[in-house]
Amino acid sequence: MAIHKPKDNSFKLILDDHRLFVDFLLRFIPLPIFNALSPDDIEDVSERFLPLLLENRDSDTVKRISLKNNPPLFVIAIVEHESQVNFRAPFKMLQYITLVLDKYEKEVNREYPGLTSTRDFRYPPVLPLIFYDGPAPWTAARNFADRTALKDVFGDYIPSFKYELVELNKYGFEDLSRYRDALSLLLLVDRIQKREELEELQGLPGDYWEGVALNIPEGMVKLVKDVITVLLERLEVPAEEIEAVKEHVGKKEYQTMFDALVESVLEDKRLAREEGIQIGTEKGREEGIQIGTEKGRDEGREEKQAEAYREKLESARILKGYGVSVEVIAQSLHLTVEEVASVR
């Protein structure tokens, strides 16, 4: 499992690994129907909803879960890790829910023509979920009806549903370390936003690390390395130090690994070196900031435009694979027909 950007958070990794996702559902949404759930019951169907995922393809996920002797359950998971609360979240969830149910209805009717028009047909349940690890408290409306004007007058005619909110900053280190497994480790790492907070990992009890070493299977070693990479890149640790810390994974006890991590990041010599660099660069920053800023802004703008264009072409390629017409794709993605037609 690869991590593409330092801003990717641990919940994205949890969504990508269905073993972790099962643990997450059991821990944060403890419904009895999940007790018999296994990773094999979960299918990622996000690409089927690509037209609505274009803005946040890396952060929004749709899972289809097979429930024994029941209709499937769809889980819509949105990862919010920006500094500002997304107040559009209830409406965005409504869009997703209607898209998922419409897609399901079409699939059922293809297999059993006319079934959804019968009296006994029931739509599958949809579990809307938002994971938020931003610094500010989440203050967006939890129910779509609360985002609608005149709900006291027209309440019976307004869609009303709540999404489940997991606000990571409401869970302390003691809460997250209680379970001593891969899931708790990922969430603990995601809680760390400053170098000073690494010391809290050192303060965790020894039996936590013993439990982690026992409960993280060998197949997850790479994932743990990826998590450490994200953490240290977030804290702007030099690449060579990141590689040195990652060498501990799978070779020593996890407690030793994180002791090495903390010492690597907090050691006085390196901090002193950073302080010296800071002093040395202040003068250069004053002299070169205007030239550097203008050039960097132009290059950054060009790179963002190029990346956005590449993403549009990739989206066009996938949509063509689903049989969507060239004209519709071109109109939806603001491309020319010729550009869409050339995509292979």
Side-chain angles (χ1 to χ4, degrees):
M1 181 185 309
I3 298 179
H4 303 289
K5 294 177 290 187
K7 289 186 178 180
D8 286 345
N9 66 9
S10 295
F11 191 62
K12 179 58 179 166
L13 300 179
I14 293 168
L15 287 172
D16 288 343
D17 190 296
H18 290 167
R19 295 167 296 178
L20 294 171
F21 190 53
V22 169
D23 289 342
F24 170 82
L25 291 175
L26 292 172
R27 193 163 305 167
F28 288 91
I29 309 173
L31 298 174
I33 200 168
F34 291 146
N35 290 341
L37 192 63
S38 82
D40 293 335
D41 297 325
I42 303 174
E43 178 187 5
D44 192 305
V45 294
S46 302
E47 282 202 355
R48 300 183 191 177
F49 306 96
L50 185 65
L52 196 57
L53 299 181
L54 287 176
E55 292 183 3
N56 295 289
R57 281 168 46 195
D58 293 334
S59 300
D60 301 350
T61 304
V62 182
K63 304 286 188 185
R64 178 182 175 132
I65 299 180
S66 297
L67 301 174
K68 305 297 187 291
N69 302 316
N70 285 290
L73 164 71
F74 288 90
V75 178
I76 300 170
I78 296 178
V79 180
E80 296 282 359
H81 51 81
E82 301 299 331
S83 58
Q84 295 182 340
V85 174
N86 182 4
F87 293 102
R88 290 190 68 254
F91 179 65
K92 187 176 182 180
M93 274 299 187
L94 179 62
Q95 290 178 295
Y96 276 138
I97 291 171
T98 55
L99 185 69
V100 166
L101 295 181
D102 178 69
K103 183 75 172 178
Y104 177 79
E105 183 180 50
K106 291 175 180 176
E107 290 177 353
V108 169
N109 283 329
R110 275 198 299 269
E111 188 171 357
Y112 305 101
L115 180 62
T116 63
S117 299
T118 62
R119 181 181 62 183
D120 294 331
F121 172 77
R122 295 292 182 272
Y123 291 92
V126 178
L127 173 62
L129 170 67
I130 288 182
F131 182 91
Y132 175 64
D133 64 355
W138 184 265
T139 52
R142 294 282 303 280
N143 192 313
F144 177 75
D146 295 330
R147 186 72 171 168
T148 307
L150 299 176
K151 72 170 186 176
D152 295 336
V153 178
F154 298 102
D156 290 343
Y157 315 106
I158 297 172
S160 180
F161 67 89
K162 286 180 62 177
Y163 56 83
E164 190 71 32
L165 175 67
V166 177
E167 192 170 357
L168 184 59
N169 288 335
K170 286 192 173 182
Y171 296 90
F173 275 73
E174 183 177 348
D175 298 322
L176 297 176
S177 65
R178 184 178 308 159
Y179 295 95
R180 296 165 170 77
D181 58 10
L183 178 63
S184 71
L185 175 60
L186 295 185
L187 295 177
L188 280 168
V189 167
D190 203 41
R191 284 276 282 106
I192 296 174
Q193 301 294 327
K194 301 176 182 177
R195 293 181 179 180
E196 299 77 32
E197 293 172 336
L198 280 167
E199 294 178 317
E200 297 195 51
L201 285 178
Q202 270 190 321
L204 292 171
D207 59 354
Y208 171 78
W209 299 108
E210 293 174 7
V212 168
L214 291 173
N215 293 322
I216 295 184
E218 185 64 27
M220 282 193 179
V221 170
K222 183 179 184 304
L223 181 141
V224 174
K225 287 186 177 183
D226 285 343
V227 172
I228 292 170
T229 300
V230 169
L231 168 63
L232 297 183
E233 286 182 349
R234 180 194 300 160
L235 300 179
E236 299 180 350
V237 174
E240 63 273 13
E241 294 190 29
I242 294 178
E243 291 304 315
V245 171
K246 286 165 59 178
E247 282 298 312
H248 289 273
V249 181
K251 295 183 179 179
K252 297 182 179 181
E253 293 295 323
Y254 282 90
Q255 184 174 5
T256 302
M257 176 186 74
F258 274 95
D259 282 346
L261 183 154
V262 175
E263 292 303 323
S264 173
V265 176
L266 297 179
E267 66 180 48
D268 292 339
K269 183 177 179 180
R270 187 174 59 74
L271 291 178
R273 183 176 71 243
E274 289 182 352
E275 183 179 354
I277 292 174
Q278 177 75 17
I279 294 173
T281 55
E282 285 297 331
K283 183 177 180 180
R285 183 180 300 114
E286 292 174 0
E287 296 174 350
I289 190 168
Q290 185 166 356
I291 296 174
T293 298
E294 291 298 330
K295 182 179 179 181
R297 184 181 297 116
D298 292 341
E299 292 176 351
R301 185 183 301 111
E302 291 174 0
E303 177 58 31
K304 286 182 178 179
Q305 290 173 346
E307 181 179 357
Y309 182 67
R310 288 193 295 269
E311 289 188 358
K312 282 187 178 184
L313 294 180
E314 175 63 14
S315 300
R317 183 189 68 78
I318 295 173
L319 288 172
K320 285 179 70 176
Y322 283 116
V324 180
S325 71
V326 171
E327 291 76 13
V328 170
I329 296 173
Q331 184 177 6
S332 300
L333 299 180
H334 302 291
L335 295 169
T336 67
V337 171
E338 291 75 16
E339 287 173 316
V340 176
S342 67
V343 173
R344 295 289 184 269

